[in-house]
């Protein structure tokens, strides 16, 4: 007798309304047993039988006409998703009274999808701090003089050398990013917009994964500490002025033991990549099985800001 899991009728059908931001990835290839009991599809002709439809905000934000048709099939969940910050999510009000579940980097999403998370290590794992030959790096591709981070940088660089990479500065080939950044002691993980839980690859990839100490500018220190131990990073708000931050970084540069303390958390935790959209979308299956029978969100805009 076939088990319930494999009989077709009991599979939950999850329709991707679009490939998120145009990214394609293999469907129904979830690791472990994550996708068990679900069938993912991008074929819109399955809309009438879909248990859930995943709506990637940016892909429909231009017009309500890009949303799935109403009335929707009974008991269908619409899952709103965004990997981008509210600054890059226009027209949120079009989602009023339409959405049943949320999926984003916000920790209070129904489906929480971080890029990197920390995993406890069992035995004392040895982390080797990469060889350092330089002081401070920053990668910036979206330079706007009016941004707080640009102004802060302009001040900071008066007091210590900063190597800037990106479109308008030093070239940094994609396949050499981590290697290059790892040679710096500090990385300026400056977010371009400030929102709760919005801590991007600037922080996770360019500094944590590269093995440098992040100097964070983004949400408040407390918010970072939901995700990472307090002694793993430096926050600009820890200092009254850019000059004081610069002096602190220069003092750490001279005090190897104190600098190394910023890596001591790595004997307790290890950062783990999630593989982007694939990993995020695989989580939908489990979430759907646990979802409340009825739920509707009056306003995404009220929450996602
Ligand atoms: C989409 O699904 C319909 C109905 O199940 C099927 O006839 C059609 O061939 C599918 N299209 C693609 C591109 O797989
Ligand atoms: C927001 O919606 C309006 C009206 O539907 C549309 O004209 C506009 O282009 C949308 N904005 C963006 C940035 O997509
Ligand atoms: C990085 O990519 C470039 C161009 O694709 C290639 O020439 C180079 O060898 C690669 N470098 C490394 C370290 O893989
Ligand atoms: C989802 O929300 C819509 C709009 O409020 C509602 O009509 C529908 O019943 C909800 N579906 C579920 C499964 O909660």
């Amino acid at each position: 007798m076939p088990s319930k899991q494999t009989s077709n009728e009991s599979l939950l059908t999850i329709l991707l309304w679009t490939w998120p931001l145009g990214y394609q990835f293999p469907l129904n290839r979830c690791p472990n047993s994550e996708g068990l009991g679900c069938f993912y599809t991008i074929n819109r002709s399955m809309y009438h039988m879909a248990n859930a439809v995943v709506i990637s905000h940016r892909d429909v934000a231009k017009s309500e006409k890009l949303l799935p048709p109403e009335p929707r099939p009974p008991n269908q969940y619409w899952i709103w998703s965004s990997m981008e910050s509210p600054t890059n999510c226009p027209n949120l009000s079009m989602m009023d009274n339409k959405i049943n579940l949320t999926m984003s980097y916000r920790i209070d999403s129904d489906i929480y999808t971080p890029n990197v998370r920390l995993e406890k290590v069992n035995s004392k794992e040895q982390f080797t701090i990469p060889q350092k030959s330089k002081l401070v790096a920053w990668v910036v591709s979206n330079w706007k003089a009016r941004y707080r981070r640009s102004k802060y940088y302009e001040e900071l660089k008066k007091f210590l050398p900063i190597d800037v990479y990106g479109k308008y500065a030093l070239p940094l080939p994609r396949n050499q990013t981590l290697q290059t950044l790892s040679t710096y002691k500090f990385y300026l993980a400056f977010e371009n917009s400030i929102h709760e839980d919005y801590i991007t690859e600037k922080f996770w990839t360019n500094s944590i994964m590269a093995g440098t100490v992040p100097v964070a500018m983004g949400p408040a220190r407390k918010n970072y500490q939901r995700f990472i131990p307090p002694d793993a990073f430096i926050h600009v708000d820890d200092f009254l002025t850019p000059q004081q931050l610069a002096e602190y970084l220069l003092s750490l540069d001279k005090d190897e033991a104190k600098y190394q303390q910023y890596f001591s958390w790595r004997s307790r935790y290890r950062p783990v990549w999630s593989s982007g959209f694939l990993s995020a979308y695989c989580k939908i299956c489990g979430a759907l099985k646990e979802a409340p029978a009825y739920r509707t969100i009056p306003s995404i805009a009220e929450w996602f800001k």
Side-chain angles (χ1 to χ4, degrees), residues 10-245:
S10 71
L11 286 179
L12 295 172
T13 300
I14 298 169
L15 170 64
L16 279 61
W17 191 242
T18 61
W19 287 116
L21 311 175
Y23 284 100
Q24 300 194 13
F25 49 90
L27 296 176
N28 301 306
R29 295 268 156 66
C30 292
N32 311 319
S33 56
E34 259 191 337
L36 214 63
C38 294
F39 175 72
Y40 290 80
T41 179
I42 184 80
N43 185 343
R44 287 189 182 183
S45 57
M46 299 189 81
Y47 174 70
H48 67 283
M49 55 171 296
N51 298 87
V53 182
V54 193
I55 298 164
S56 159
H57 186 79
R58 271 286 284 271
D59 298 332
V60 297
K62 269 213 155 39
S63 159
E64 264 184 64
K65 293 192 187 107
L66 297 174
L67 286 171
E70 299 263 24
R72 70 186 80 177
N75 306 319
Q76 186 179 76
Y77 291 87
W78 285 17
I79 302 174
W80 178 88
S81 87
S82 177
M83 305 296 149
E84 305 193 74
S85 80
T87 300
N88 291 308
C89 287
N91 288 342
L92 279 174
S93 64
M94 74 193 255
M95 300 296 167
D96 286 1
N97 297 308
K98 287 193 164 62
I99 299 300
N100 308 104
L101 299 171
T102 55
M103 173 161 96
S104 80
Y105 62 83
R106 278 275 297 258
I107 206 167
D108 57 352
S109 304
D110 299 298
I111 305 162
Y112 167 52
T113 55
N115 288 321
V116 174
R117 65 192 163 77
L118 298 190
E119 197 175 80
K120 270 209 153 68
V121 296
N122 297 321
S123 55
K124 280 226 160 178
E125 200 160 289
Q126 208 53 39
F127 174 80
T128 312
I129 301 174
Q131 286 278 326
K132 305 294 180 187
S133 54
K134 299 175 208 129
L135 196 58
V136 185
W138 187 29
V139 179
V140 58
S141 46
N142 181 12
W143 171 269
K144 292 212 172 71
R146 66 182 162 82
Y147 281 171
R148 178 187 174 209
R149 66 178 187 196
S150 310
K151 294 179 183 150
Y152 199 98
Y153 158 78
E154 293 290 354
E155 272 306 300
L156 192 62
K157 75 167 191 199
K158 293 178 186 164
F159 307 105
L160 86 182
I162 301 172
D163 287 351
V164 181
Y165 292 89
K167 224 193 285 183
Y168 310 105
L170 300 166
L172 185 60
R174 200 170 258 276
N175 59 356
Q176 283 159 34
T177 302
L178 290 193
Q179 162 61 32
T180 305
L181 297 180
S182 75
T183 61
Y184 288 85
K185 286 194 167 168
F186 305 101
Y187 181 80
L188 302 184
F190 288 3
E191 302 298 347
N192 61 16
S193 53
I194 313 292
H195 304 281
E196 187 179 340
D197 295 347
Y198 188 59
I199 301 169
T200 66
E201 77 287 346
K202 296 168 184 66
F203 184 91
W204 290 112
T205 309
N206 290 359
S207 28
I208 296 299
M209 285 301 185
T212 78
V213 174
V215 177
M217 174 188 287
R221 167 173 269 284
K222 258 205 165 133
N223 195 168
Y224 283 84
Q225 289 171 196
R226 280 185 194 159
F227 304 94
I228 193 161
D231 57 353
F233 67 99
I234 294 163
H235 196 292
V236 296
D237 293 351
D238 299 343
F239 303 90
L240 286 175
T241 63
Q243 180 172 4
Q244 284 179 13
L245 169 63

Side-chain angles (χ1 to χ4, degrees), residues 224-272:
Y224 283 84
Q225 289 171 196
R226 280 185 194 159
F227 304 94
I228 193 161
D231 57 353
F233 67 99
I234 294 163
H235 196 292
V236 296
D237 293 351
D238 299 343
F239 303 90
L240 286 175
T241 63
Q243 180 172 4
Q244 284 179 13
L245 169 63
E247 282 162 6
Y248 182 68
L249 298 183
L250 289 168
S251 76
L252 284 178
D253 187 36
K254 294 202 195 80
D255 187 342
E256 191 58 24
K258 199 165 174 204
Y259 175 71
Q260 287 180 2
Q261 278 171 19
Y262 280 94
F263 295 87
S264 63
W265 64 276
R266 294 195 189 240
S267 64
R268 289 170 282 136
Y269 300 99
R270 124 169 37 92
V272 185

